[in-house]
Amino acid sequence: MSDDDERGRRWTLALGAEPQDGEAALSDSDRRMSEALTALYGDGDEGPKQGKGSLGGSAPRVAKWLGDIREFFPAPVVQVIQKDAFERKGLRQMLLEPEFLATVEADVNLVADLVALRSVMPEKTKETARIVIAKVVAELMERLERKTAEAIRGALDRSKRTFRPRFADIDWSRTIHANLRHYQAEHRTIVPEKLIGFMRQQRRIVDLDEVVLCVDQSGSMAPSVVYASIFAAVMASLPVVATKLVCFDTAIVDLTEELADPVEVLFGIQLGGGTDINRAVAYCEDRIERPSKAHLILITDLYEGGDANALVDRLARLKTIGVNVIVLLALTDTGRPAYDPALSGKVAALGVPVFACTPDQFPDLMATALRREDIAGWAADQDIKLIRSD
């Protein structure tokens, strides 16, 4: 195909037009790609419609459409198209169909949708939903688990080192630096002759730092809830910290006992509803056993449906008794939150760090918190802007 033909093909796909006389006809795959996009973007009708170029009708028809877009586009683009389809064509109800659900490109936002719809799912769909959620959880654990474990172990036990560490306790940065002279150019790798790691200590329960993740499960916080649940499960598996997970809207769900199974944790979340942050923080306050060794990570947009003044007073009291309080306005890949600026400013005026971060930044944040180092300085290094006090 000539360069002119390729340019004509791209313009035809972009504009959704039929080839003109003299222009190369679209191939079968190009035609299917065009039809898949036309089905979603081809007209201004926001509701589902029947017939050619429509996403209406049965689950198998929509499943075929999803199969087409997955064939033609990379996963990030597929996720954008899916989101547009849910919003423009009213496809949210299709998530209740297992045939449809099995074809969806799964991501954190889809998991949040499935968790929100769990109570109205038919039984035949719940098992498929669980499989989809388990797949996303496994991918997130693979992405985040090792970094989190290394950061937290290192933060709590950096003073003592050993040259015979277990694999999970290897300090890779120091090990690589100590073995640079053993670099094998032909293999493009280092053969480490000396391993450096953190010395594992048996810490008594009374010596453990307490980490309480208090997570707003109102609808706007859905992706943050998913990520927070994954991190809580990872930290609960580490014997160096005592981790609790509390989710809330106007009700409170303590999921600490479920942390061994992050999929079960997500199925225990009730996304949606109002927000009573003060009540949730009061619940966490009652369960903090050693304030001087406790870290309260409050993940919320601070849109308080309860008593905002009481919340500010409670956070001030927690700081006074030694609890390390941090407020995350979002824990998402974009790190760009919508939040209540007035209440955020009042909380920041207490000396509580208030900001948003991405999941990839969270392990380093927790390591900094556990060392009780300056969060503002860490945030500046990460190019994160803290909320300013009133």
Side-chain angles (χ1 to χ4, degrees):
M1 181 181 291
S2 69
D3 289 345
D4 287 343
D5 286 342
E6 175 61 15
R7 279 194 294 271
R9 167 184 172 271
R10 293 186 179 185
W11 274 111
T12 298
L13 288 172
L15 298 174
E18 293 295 329
Q20 302 299 310
D21 291 342
E23 293 181 341
L26 293 177
S27 67
D28 181 62
S29 62
D30 285 344
R31 179 184 54 77
R32 288 170 55 209
M33 185 190 304
S34 178
E35 289 179 354
L37 293 175
T38 299
L40 178 57
Y41 301 111
D43 56 52
D45 184 5
E46 296 300 315
K49 57 183 284 187
Q50 304 298 321
K52 185 176 179 180
S54 166
L55 298 184
S58 66
R61 180 179 301 174
V62 180
K64 179 182 182 303
W65 175 80
L66 279 172
D68 286 344
I69 66 169
R70 290 181 68 182
E71 177 181 346
F72 297 129
F73 302 102
V77 177
V78 171
Q79 291 166 7
V80 171
I81 294 174
Q82 285 177 176
K83 183 175 184 294
D84 286 348
F86 296 152
E87 294 175 353
R88 293 166 61 92
K89 297 295 184 179
L91 293 185
R92 190 170 296 273
Q93 69 271 20
M94 300 304 294
L95 290 178
L96 304 181
E97 296 288 343
E99 298 91 344
F100 172 79
L101 187 55
T103 67
V104 171
E105 186 70 33
D107 67 352
V108 168
N109 295 304
L110 177 66
V111 169
D113 282 336
L114 295 178
V115 170
L117 292 169
R118 185 187 68 256
S119 62
V120 296
M121 279 183 182
E123 286 302 320
K124 66 177 182 178
T125 307
K126 285 185 179 179
E127 188 54 38
T128 306
R130 187 178 288 273
I131 292 171
V132 172
I133 290 174
K135 178 176 180 292
V136 176
V137 166
E139 291 170 352
L140 291 175
M141 293 288 280
E142 182 178 359
R143 168 186 162 190
L144 302 169
E145 185 173 21
R146 178 172 168 177
K147 183 177 181 181
T148 304
E150 288 181 351
I152 290 177
R153 284 199 182 103
L156 293 173
D157 198 16
R158 286 191 179 275
S159 59
K160 296 188 177 181
R161 301 189 179 277
T162 176
F163 297 111
R164 299 181 61 187
R166 301 183 187 185
F167 181 81
D169 298 326
I170 294 174
D171 183 337
W172 288 105
S173 177
R174 289 178 179 271
T175 295
I176 291 170
H177 187 268
N179 289 277
L180 287 176
R181 64 182 181 277
H182 303 305
Y183 179 72
Q184 306 292 310
E186 64 274 22
H187 300 296
R188 301 180 66 185
T189 190
I190 291 173
V191 179
E193 293 189 358
K194 179 172 68 173
L195 297 176
I196 302 174
F198 306 118
M199 183 175 293
R200 186 171 295 214
Q201 292 182 330
Q202 295 297 323
R203 304 180 76 206
R204 299 177 301 164
I205 295 296
V206 295
D207 293 329
L208 295 181
D209 280 64
E210 298 178 64
V211 175
V212 182
L213 295 177
C214 185
V215 188
D216 185 341
Q217 63 181 5
S218 58
S220 60
M221 297 295 296
S224 297
V225 176
V226 175
Y227 278 121
S229 300
I230 299 297
F231 281 117
V234 172
M235 289 191 291
S237 70
L238 304 175
V240 293
V241 289
T243 305
K244 297 181 176 70
L245 174 64
V246 175
C247 295
F248 68 91
D249 41 38
T250 52
I252 296 168
V253 183
D254 191 332
L255 294 166
T256 304
E257 298 301 320
E258 307 294 336
L259 287 177
D261 184 350
V263 175
E264 198 61 37
V265 168
L266 289 171
F267 265 78
I269 291 168
Q270 301 288 337
L271 288 173
T275 310
D276 193 338
I277 309 171
N278 178 56
R279 184 182 178 199
V281 173
Y283 178 91
C284 295
E285 181 181 14
D286 288 343
R287 279 148 187 79
I288 289 175
E289 299 175 16
R290 298 170 300 280
S292 64
K293 297 186 73 65
H295 310 266
L296 175 64
I297 314 300
L298 177 58
I299 303 176
T300 177
D301 53 17
L302 287 175
Y303 283 109
E304 173 65 299
D307 190 332
N309 291 330
L311 171 63
V312 173
D313 291 343
R314 192 177 303 280
L315 293 175
R317 182 167 62 252
L318 287 169
K319 274 191 63 68
T320 299
I321 64 176
V323 177
N324 189 16
V325 181
I326 297 170
V327 175
L328 293 184
L329 300 169
L331 179 57
T332 63
D333 288 303
T334 62
R336 294 192 297 270
Y339 60 92
D340 183 329
L343 185 52
S344 298
K346 291 179 181 178
V347 174
L350 303 174
V352 172
V354 182
F355 59 98
C357 78
T358 68
D360 288 318
Q361 292 167 326
F362 187 79
D364 288 337
L365 165 63
M366 282 309 310
T368 304
L370 289 167
R371 291 193 295 266
R372 292 191 176 252
E373 294 178 350
D374 179 25
I375 297 296
W378 172 86
D381 290 341
Q382 298 289 319
D383 199 25
I384 293 173
K385 293 183 179 180
L386 272 65
I387 300 300
R388 295 182 178 179
S389 60
D390 289 342

